[in-house]
């Protein structure tokens, strides 16, 4: 749609920070006010709106989309979202190593095992690793451990974590980003290890390049969103 406002900014109140367009609160698709607890996050969302040109392009506003999802969906279905995230842990990318070739196995172990060890120590979540694609049942202590970690997070953080888990195919990677164990760039490299290995051998077509670029953008957005959630 066409841009209908001149100025996007925030208005602080006792219950948070409202993102406004020409002084009027932004509404989510669910008609709720865009009310955020962290001023830094609200300012970043306002900056996305201010940066729009003559036409508003929602795809260029990932922070706005994440915030709206948190308000409209996650706040109303928190337990369901946690269940969905635990589902990623049940088939986590890091737990499925290749059977061959050997050089890929070595890379996977070097990149993935430290994160599995970190999850086991940090969340008391000892995940089971298998070779091949046949599903393996994860130990209940591992699932309980990540569930406890998820239950401590805000609705906003859960929203970003859901986006990261979907992008990376791994709740462990998403949690590692949330806790500062790895960066957004490292999350991309870790989760795209298999694809990068194949590209080294066979090259990368234009469609794959665009897909990976969009994936990196989404990972960076969710990671940035998490960081902003922790700022006052």
């Amino acid at each position: 749609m066409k841009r209908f406002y001149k100025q996007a900014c925030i208005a602080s109140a006792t219950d948070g920070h409202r993102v406004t367009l020409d002084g009027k609160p932004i509404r989510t698709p669910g008609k709720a006010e865009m009310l955020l607890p962290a001023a830094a996050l609200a300012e970043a969302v306002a900056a996305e709106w201010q940066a729009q040109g003559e036409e508003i392009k929602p795809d260029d506003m990932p922070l706005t989309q994440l915030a709206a999802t948190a308000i409209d969906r996650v706040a109303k279905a928190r337990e369901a979202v946690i269940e969905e995230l635990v589902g990623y842990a049940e088939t986590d990318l890091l737990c499925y190593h290749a059977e061959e070739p050997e050089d890929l196995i070595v890379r996977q172990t070097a990149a993935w095992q430290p994160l599995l060890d970190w999850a086991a120590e940090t969340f008391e979540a000892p995940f089971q690793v298998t070779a091949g694609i046949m599903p393996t049942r994860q130990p209940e202590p591992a699932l309980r451990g990540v569930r406890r970690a998820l239950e401590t997070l805000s609705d906003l953080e859960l929203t970003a974590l859901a986006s990261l888990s979907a992008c990376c195919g791994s709740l462990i990677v998403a949690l590692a980003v949330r806790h500062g164990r790895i960066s957004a760039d490292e999350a991309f490299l870790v989760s795209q290890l298999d694809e990068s290995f194949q590209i080294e051998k066979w090259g990368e077509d234009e469609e794959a390049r665009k897909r990976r670029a969009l994936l990196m953008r989404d990972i960076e957005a969710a990671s940035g969103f998490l960081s902003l959630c922790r700022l006052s």
Side-chain angles (χ1 to χ4, degrees):
M1 60 182 173
K2 296 289 185 181
R3 178 167 176 159
F4 56 88
Y5 57 92
K6 292 182 178 180
Q7 187 70 34
C9 58
I10 70 170
S12 297
T14 56
D15 54 350
H17 306 274
R18 287 175 173 80
V19 184
T20 64
L21 303 177
D22 294 338
K24 297 179 180 180
I26 290 177
R27 297 281 177 175
T28 68
K31 308 304 181 184
E33 284 190 2
M34 184 69 73
L35 180 66
L36 301 169
L41 178 57
E43 289 169 352
V45 170
E48 287 185 335
W49 285 86
Q50 189 62 29
Q52 295 298 297
E54 293 182 1
E55 292 188 359
I56 298 173
K57 299 179 180 179
D59 287 346
D60 293 339
M61 297 190 288
L63 301 181
T64 300
Q65 292 180 340
L66 287 168
T69 299
I71 294 168
D72 286 348
R73 177 182 175 234
V74 177
K76 299 174 182 177
R78 181 181 171 86
E79 288 305 316
V81 173
I82 289 175
E83 286 297 327
E84 181 181 317
L85 285 167
V86 173
Y88 276 105
E90 292 175 345
T91 57
D92 201 284
L93 169 71
L94 304 195
C95 297
Y96 291 86
H97 292 211
E99 296 178 287
E100 58 178 355
E102 184 62 30
D103 49 347
L104 175 57
I105 297 172
V106 169
R107 288 193 195 186
Q108 289 176 335
T109 302
W112 296 351
Q113 192 58 50
L115 293 178
L116 290 165
D117 294 341
W118 169 81
E121 180 179 356
T122 304
F123 308 118
E124 298 181 359
F127 282 90
Q128 182 71 40
V129 174
T130 188
I133 60 173
M134 292 300 294
T136 184
R137 186 175 181 82
Q138 291 299 335
E140 282 303 317
L143 301 181
R144 284 198 302 269
V146 293
R147 185 187 299 278
R148 285 194 302 268
L150 295 172
E151 289 171 345
T152 67
L153 302 181
S154 68
D155 296 339
L156 291 166
E157 290 178 306
L158 283 175
T159 303
L161 219 65
S163 178
L164 274 173
S165 297
C167 288
C168 300
S170 169
L171 176 60
I172 298 171
V173 171
L175 284 169
V177 173
R178 159 62 179 78
H179 287 268
R181 176 62 177 77
I182 60 174
S183 66
D185 287 343
E186 290 169 325
F188 176 83
L189 292 174
V190 165
S191 62
Q192 287 288 296
L193 190 151
D194 291 358
E195 288 79 358
S196 297
F197 181 84
Q198 295 300 324
I199 288 169
E200 288 177 16
K201 289 188 172 297
W202 311 109
E204 182 179 32
D205 60 31
E206 183 63 16
E207 183 177 343
R209 187 194 66 77
K210 290 180 179 178
R211 181 186 64 81
R212 280 161 60 92
L214 289 173
L215 194 62
M216 184 68 239
R217 183 201 67 178
D218 290 345
I219 290 173
E220 287 178 336
S223 177
F225 191 90
L226 281 170
S227 298
L228 290 166
C229 286
R230 297 194 293 273
L231 296 176
S232 59

